[in-house]
Each structure stands twice: as C-alpha cells, then as structure tokens.
Amino acid sequence: MQYILTCIGMLLLMATQAARAEPIEFGILPVLSTRSIITLYDPLREYLERRLGLHVILATAPDYRTYIARTQNREFRYLMTAPHFARLAQLESGYRPMVRVKHEQLALLLTDKATGVANLAALRGKIIATPDSLAVVTLMGMEMLRAASLSLGKDVTLRAFPSFNSALIALRNGEVAAAFSSPVALTQMPEDQRRGLITLATSQPQLPVCYLANPSAPPSEVAAMTHALLEFEATPEGQAFFKKTGYEGFRALQEVDLRTMDRYVKEIKKRL
C-alpha cells in the first residue's frame, strides 16, 4: 500500500510539474513585424516567467484578421490587442479585462517634408497609406478626414498596408503623400524611418492598447498576472520597455473604458 501511495504521489508531482511546464501563449497584436515584436516584448515575457513561474511564449499572427480569429477561438491565454479588438474579444469570446497602457491612443496624419504637402487641403487627389484597414488608428484617421471635409474614395484614396512600418516606409519611398500612424508606433520605428516626417493633424485621444485574459484562465493566475503587469514599470527592464514602446506604464482596465469602443466594434464587424 505504501508503495502504491508513493507511486501515486510521484505521478501527481510529475503531473503538476508538467502542467507548470506547459507553455502559456501570450498573444501580441501584429502592429510590427514578427521579429520586431519578439525583440520588443521578450523582456516582458522573461519578467513574467521569472515573476510567476510560468512558461510564457509570445504568439502573434500574419495579419489582424487572423489575430482576431485566433482570439475569437480563444487560442491565447492572455493577449495584448487594440482597444476595439479588446471590446470585441470581451463581448463575443468572454475575455476578461486586466490592464491598459497609460498613454492615450492618438492617430497622427503624417507626411514627409519631401512631398511638399503643407496641410490637409493639399491632400486632395492624393493617396494616404494606412496600417491594416481594421486598425483603430485607421478608423480614427478616417474620422479626421471626414471632419476636414475630405471625401474618402473621391477627394483622397486610402491604401492599406500590413503594418505601421510598411505604411511609413511607403511614405518615405514616395509611394504615397501621407500616412496614418500613432505616437507609440512612431516611437517604436527605427530613427532613420522617422527622420523628416511632419505631423499634419492629430486626432482626439481614445482608449489605448489593452491586455486581457482568456475566460478559461484560473482566477488566481489572472490576478497574479495582472498584479505582475502593474508592477512591471517599477523594474529596470520595465522602465527600459516603456521607454522603447512609449506606453509610459500600465494601469487597471475598467469595463467603462471598453464601452467607449462600441462604435468602432460595429464598424469592424461590418468589415469582417
């Protein structure tokens, strides 16, 4: 009997260790190339592993639509995503809000000084680069153009690119007259890609990037993950991370915050 109990105990211990070793996917919205995402977010991954004793791996997708599909299928245990995607994930897949970045979301309409474009009126008949057509910055930028009495598809043409990087590269290469970006995305770009860019217009602030938990994640683990994220900025690696990303830090994400994204959720559901 003692032998049997010992074997059972060893099996339970092995099962517990295997469960701990099972990788937890932390989804990162593909706002940058996969290589840039891994480089940028690896310090956060290492911190969470060390702090929580979990095996955390970073995951993303080739485009926004695939990322949304993976989110709706609840493939990510935790995820970082755009605010309107976060609201969609909460409403349709049961993801639970944890934290948001402190830096408010802004849409910037940028041009290169070499284009000679001095104001929004000079964009008539021109092409404007956007990140993915589902990106919140794209939707916010469209609102800016309408407010300036620029008709989409008539006065200006929008051309979507896979990422913020590629949209700005198209601007620098002279393929387009302007591009939508955000202050945070701009901060994360190489300095040589930012040199010579001029801001033509800035949107009103909106809810920024959000972090959520899969509804299947244990509440105690979610609480520990949330606490660890909130304390990340107090660490040396956290300070370096927030300097590189321009996020300034994390703070608690509330239900009322996510409700502000409802109008954008309606728009992306039409597009999807």
Side-chain angles (χ1 to χ4, degrees):
M1 177 64 72
Q2 181 63 39
Y3 173 76
I4 294 174
L5 291 175
T6 301
C7 289
I8 292 174
M10 291 179 65
L11 289 172
L12 289 173
L13 177 60
M14 291 171 64
T16 300
Q17 291 175 336
R20 288 178 179 173
E22 181 181 352
I24 290 176
E25 281 198 336
F26 206 121
I28 306 294
L29 185 70
V31 294
L32 301 170
S33 67
T34 300
R35 178 178 294 183
S36 297
I37 286 173
I38 298 301
T39 300
L40 190 61
Y41 283 88
D42 202 54
L44 175 59
R45 181 196 63 77
E46 290 181 347
Y47 162 77
L48 293 174
E49 281 197 336
R50 184 174 67 253
R51 176 72 181 270
L52 303 176
L54 302 172
H55 181 193
V56 180
I57 60 173
L58 299 177
T60 187
D63 52 62
Y64 282 15
R65 283 168 177 76
T66 306
Y67 190 81
I68 292 172
R70 293 195 65 188
T71 300
Q72 290 178 322
N73 290 335
R74 298 181 179 179
E75 295 181 27
F76 304 118
R77 182 74 154 262
Y78 299 96
L79 63 88
M80 176 280 271
T81 194
H84 56 330
F85 297 161
R87 180 59 165 167
L88 183 67
Q90 180 200 27
L91 292 174
E92 297 195 351
S93 303
Y95 274 81
R96 291 173 281 172
M98 295 194 303
V99 302
R100 48 157 285 183
V101 301
K102 291 181 179 179
H103 193 286
E104 298 291 343
Q105 179 71 66
L106 295 172
L108 303 178
L109 180 55
L110 304 171
T111 190
D112 191 302
K113 61 181 181 181
T115 65
V117 174
N119 50 53
L120 270 67
L123 289 173
R124 292 185 184 276
K126 307 290 187 181
I127 300 174
I128 300 175
T130 77
D132 192 289
S133 61
L134 295 174
V136 70
V137 165
T138 300
L139 301 181
M140 293 167 68
M142 291 167 62
E143 290 179 339
M144 292 165 57
L145 295 176
R146 293 190 188 103
S149 299
L150 291 172
S151 177
L152 305 179
K154 183 179 178 181
D155 296 324
V156 295
T157 300
L158 300 185
R159 181 182 297 171
F161 287 81
S163 67
F164 287 96
N165 306 59
S166 53
L168 286 179
I169 290 173
L171 174 59
R172 295 307 307 269
N173 290 342
E175 299 174 39
V176 298
F180 290 128
S181 187
S182 71
V184 167
L186 203 58
T187 299
Q188 296 171 9
M189 302 294 178
E191 185 178 352
D192 61 330
Q193 292 183 21
R194 290 179 276 151
R195 195 175 297 117
L197 296 181
I198 301 168
T199 301
L200 293 175
T202 303
S203 72
Q204 293 297 313
Q206 301 287 352
L207 181 68
V209 165
C210 302
Y211 287 64
L212 298 92
N214 193 299
S216 67
S220 59
E221 182 186 280
V222 175
M225 178 68 73
T226 302
H227 190 64
L229 288 170
L230 291 172
E231 292 194 338
F232 186 43
E233 65 182 287
T235 67
E237 61 265 45
Q239 292 171 11
F241 173 81
F242 290 118
K243 183 177 181 180
K244 287 181 180 178
T245 60
Y247 286 150
E248 299 179 357
F250 294 128
R251 66 180 178 86
L253 175 63
Q254 307 295 337
E255 167 77 18
V256 66
D257 297 327
L258 289 169
R259 289 177 190 165
T260 64
M261 291 291 105
D262 285 349
R263 76 179 189 275
Y264 293 128
V265 168
K266 292 179 181 178
E267 180 64 27
I268 61 172
K269 288 182 71 173
K270 291 178 185 176
R271 298 178 180 223
L272 288 171

